[in-house]
Amino acid sequence: MSLQTIEMHFAEVKQLSEQLAELARALKSAGEDDLMRLAGEGRRCWISECSDVLSGKEVKLGMLLISEAERILKIAEEMEERAKKMYQAEMLSNQLAAVRIYL
């Protein structure tokens, strides 16, 4: 593979992992801030046993959303780390190919 192709693939994967991490942070923010805020607002307007059940489900949903966002963030970090390792391996392979001697 040419050096230019290696550089392009690495840049593309790095950009995709950054976008995925950004989306995961937005998802986590939605779970932490928006959903919890909405659950609190609903609880002030409606006081009953059903409201407690609904509020509990909203909090559980928010926690699941946060958990999933953290998992996606770890995947994005792993993607970038693997891309770096592959980039380094390809660069080393290119260097070795340039200096190898056939007997």
Side-chain angles (χ1 to χ4, degrees):
M1 210 183 300
S2 74
L3 292 176
Q4 187 178 21
T5 304
I6 295 169
E7 294 282 343
M8 281 183 7
H9 287 176
F10 176 67
E12 184 179 354
V13 171
K14 189 173 178 181
Q15 181 184 12
L16 290 172
S17 69
E18 288 170 359
Q19 288 176 350
L20 187 60
E22 187 178 314
L23 289 171
R25 283 188 286 274
L27 188 62
K28 186 175 180 181
S29 175
E32 289 175 340
D33 301 332
D34 299 339
L35 197 57
M36 296 302 179
R37 180 181 48 78
L38 290 173
E41 287 176 6
R43 200 141 205 259
R44 283 182 289 195
C45 299
W46 183 27
I47 299 172
S48 73
E49 188 177 322
C50 293
S51 170
D52 293 340
V53 171
L54 179 62
S55 180
K57 288 182 179 186
E58 289 171 334
V59 169
K60 185 177 179 181
L61 180 62
M63 297 306 290
L64 288 172
L65 196 59
I66 292 167
S67 173
E68 196 63 26
E70 289 171 351
R71 193 173 77 79
I72 292 170
L73 191 56
K74 286 179 184 176
I75 289 171
E77 291 169 357
E78 187 176 328
M79 259 176 68
E80 188 168 347
E81 185 62 34
R82 287 187 184 195
K84 285 179 185 176
K85 287 180 181 179
M86 286 176 58
Y87 173 78
Q88 291 169 346
E90 289 288 343
M91 294 303 282
L92 179 62
S93 178
N94 262 351
Q95 289 173 351
L96 290 174
V99 297
R100 85 175 141 217
I101 300 170
Y102 293 100
L103 299 176

